[in-house]
DNA sequence: GTTGTCGGTGACAACGTTGTCAGCAGTGTG
DNA sequence: CACACTGCTGACAACGTTGTCACCGACAAC
């Protein structure tokens, strides 16, 4: 045990390339060559190395490997999302994963729950780990701090919410257009008191969806009633409370536009509780599972999180592959899915 | 540009500790001390270092750091799940993330979609990256290959499905008990033709849930009808087809027990399509979003993926902190949630 | 005066890997 | 005969970081 070099009898932790070299009776470099599939190793020697690797259960240490291969990729990307437990984010993440796995790239995902500080910590952590690129569903209002990372070669693609104060690729949905379409459909059926229930106003999607809502009113030459617009429903509980309050007014709205999936679900619970699902029209933004089986079906503006995630991932990998074209903004179309709840007519008189 | 050492004017990629040292006019070791918050650095010097770090946008390279700190943790864990897009897995993952984030540990998640080969690749990748531990929702039937990793100090906790051919911690739910309770409830209401629609039989949860189904029949002294047991419904399409076939038989079942959330959803669609939701009783395993708002409400056996994820993560971190007690098997209780669909009586005569 | 201790600092080696380059013996080219 | 080239192999340095240890001046104890 007093001789120099690694203890070759029984490596304490993981076997290293040196253990393998010693056991196979070759130089470490030759082992490296075999492991990396480099040409120029005699088959007989390669076989000895392979056997040694097998016997020791050797696994190349990726940290050491990428350290040496200067400037080399770590084969990892970071994805910062609001909450994996939200089906929208989860589906998007899954699509990213799919593209990444095909390339042998692993995904580091962090949920940040609308907390700008958690976002900053998550991004810093990803930089420390030298991910090759990042896909960001940001919370924060300003992303200028990422400019430095970008300059140093970090590739960033924003999803769902565009970058602010930064030139970066973006893949999102036609939020304003979708909201406008939904609200126009309600107006067309004669609704005038259409409530808007939306997320925090610092979130661009919320802002855009509200803009679409307002635009529909402008298009129709109808005035909006500011009393019917509620913001900051970033917790289910708040969304429920807001819906309950709106629906218990004497001049309650005849239709609801809920601008996000969790708000839609909260509103559905309240409508059901008040036995108003057949009487108050309702369109949500984002599809909800089983929404088609309710009575009436839940009409929604559907976006395609899989397509958004896939597109973002492909964009990111394109950048990693050297695409240095101008910054791209991809806006995916959305679709109004009519299932019943959005097609209810306004009730003339209410008890 | 011909002088040796790094080009200090304008570091090409990320600034290294050497750039910082040079700019601050100190040794690299002192920078290291400051970065790591080690004691014994004059405040004035520390300040110079901090300023240099700031100016250069230096971020410690975690790969190099953990390489040097021999045997040191990488501050990352791997989570191998079936599919992040499945709410059960997503919720579980979120709970793991939560515990990990509190400790500054990042999570590498991989969806493997019931593919044993993808599972093996994911695990190998995690080992290459020297994650500190892994949480596994396995697909494969044998996990003996992990024994070698375990011996080398890798900590593994299984969730949802127990390890086979390996001693490892496990956190799961009372699958057999939950299924038994559900089917007993159906039998108690007089159902006899109760169909079982389940996932692939290589999956232990599917096996356990089927066992619970059978046990309930044994308990009641009723014979099971093997014609009503369908397996391998690992794709929504298959589940729909199976449900449609069962329900179109002349002697169709009076009740369904769907042993997994996606199968439950598929069955709901078929039942609805055939207008049988009010006539055929139905209990699912796993809760489904909005299941309470359908008419009738969807009765389910609810497990708590958040608790499972949290428990598994805490167990894993406990091991990382040195807990070397005996292997633990945590079985979380499940709960039958009666919402209507499971309480329908069998119809005496059918058209 | 010698010795020891102190806080502070840096030179150096090492972590596990791979890039570079030199060297081997054998063969062909000028 | 010198030289270049071949396929194969290994010695060595380097990646960015941190652990080890020696050393600094100052000051106290003997």
């Amino acid at each position: 045990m007093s001789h120099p070099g690694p203890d070759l009898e029984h490596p304490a932790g993981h076997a290293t390339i040196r253990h393998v070299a010693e056991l196979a009776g070759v130089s470490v470099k030759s082992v490296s060559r075999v492991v990396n599939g480099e040409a120029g190793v005699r088959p007989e020697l390669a076989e000895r190395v392979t056997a040694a690797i097998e016997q020791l259960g050797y696994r190349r240490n990726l940290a050491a490997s990428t350290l040496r291969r200067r400037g080399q990729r770590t084969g990892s990307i970071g994805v910062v999302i609001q909450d994996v437990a939200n089906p929208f984010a989860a589906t998007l993440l899954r699509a990213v994963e799919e593209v990444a796995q095909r390339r042998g790239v692993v995904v580091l995902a962090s949920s940040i729950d609308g907390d700008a500080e958690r976002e900053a910590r998550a991004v810093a952590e990803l930089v420390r780990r030298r991910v090759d690129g990042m896909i960001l569903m940001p919370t924060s209002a300003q992303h200028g701090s990422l400019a430095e990372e970008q300059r140093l070669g970090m590739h960033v693609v924003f999803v769902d919410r565009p970058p602010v104060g930064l030139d970066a690729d973006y893949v999102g949905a036609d939020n304003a257009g979708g909201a406008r379409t939904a609200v126009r459909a309600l107006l067309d059926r004669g609704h005038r008191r259409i409530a808007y229930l939306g997320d925090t106003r610092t979130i661009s999607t919320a802002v855009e969806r509200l803009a679409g809502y307002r635009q529909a009113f402008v298009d129709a030459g109808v005035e909006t009633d500011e009393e019917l617009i509620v913001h900051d429903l970033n917790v289910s509980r708040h969304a429920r409370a807001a819906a309950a309050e709106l629906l218990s007014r004497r001049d309650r709205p005849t239709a609801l536009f809920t601008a996000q999936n969790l708000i839609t679900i909260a509103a559905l619970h309240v409508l059901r509780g008040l036995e108003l699902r057949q009487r108050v029209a309702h369109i949500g933004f984002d599809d909800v599972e089983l929404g088609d089986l309710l009575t009436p079906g839940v009409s929604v503006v559907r976006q395609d999180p899989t397509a958004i995630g896939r597109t973002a991932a492909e964009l990111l990998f394109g950048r990693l592959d050297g695409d240095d074209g101008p910054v791209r903004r991809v806006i995916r179309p959305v679709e109004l899915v009519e299932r019943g709840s959005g097609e209810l007519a306004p009730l003339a008189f209410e008890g």
Side-chain angles (χ1 to χ4, degrees), chain A residues 13 43 56 64 83 90 101 104 112 120 135 146 149-150 158 163 175 183 200 202 259 287 290 296 301 304 309 316 339:
Chain A
L56 293 173
D83 179 8
Q101 274 194 19
I112 56 173
I135 292 179
L146 281 168
E149 310 301 340
Q150 264 191 329
F158 284 73
N175 291 295
V183 176
T200 318
T202 52
D287 205 352
L290 292 185
V301 177
D304 185 345
L316 177 59
R339 296 194 181 119

Side-chain angles (χ1 to χ4, degrees), chain A residues 238-250:
Chain A
H238 296 171
R240 286 200 193 211
E245 192 278 321
L246 277 166
L247 291 170
S248 60
R249 293 186 191 169
R250 249 180 317 134

Side-chain angles (χ1 to χ4, degrees), chain A residues 258-320:
Chain A
T258 50
Q260 191 247 40
N261 57 1
L262 299 185
I263 300 175
T264 300
I265 289 170
L268 286 169
H269 279 102
V270 172
L271 285 168
R272 166 62 167 268
L274 299 173
E275 298 189 352
L276 288 175
R277 286 223 58 230
Q278 309 276 0
R279 318 184 69 177
V280 174
H282 179 199
I283 302 183
F285 207 109
D286 285 346
D287 205 352
V288 291
E289 183 80 70
L290 292 185
D292 53 336
L293 294 192
L294 294 183
T295 315
V298 185
S299 296
V300 296
V301 177
R302 177 160 62 195
Q303 46 179 336
D304 185 345
T306 299
I308 294 177
R310 189 181 345 102
T311 307
E314 283 166 355
L315 201 45
L316 177 59
F317 285 120
R319 296 299 189 186
L320 295 180

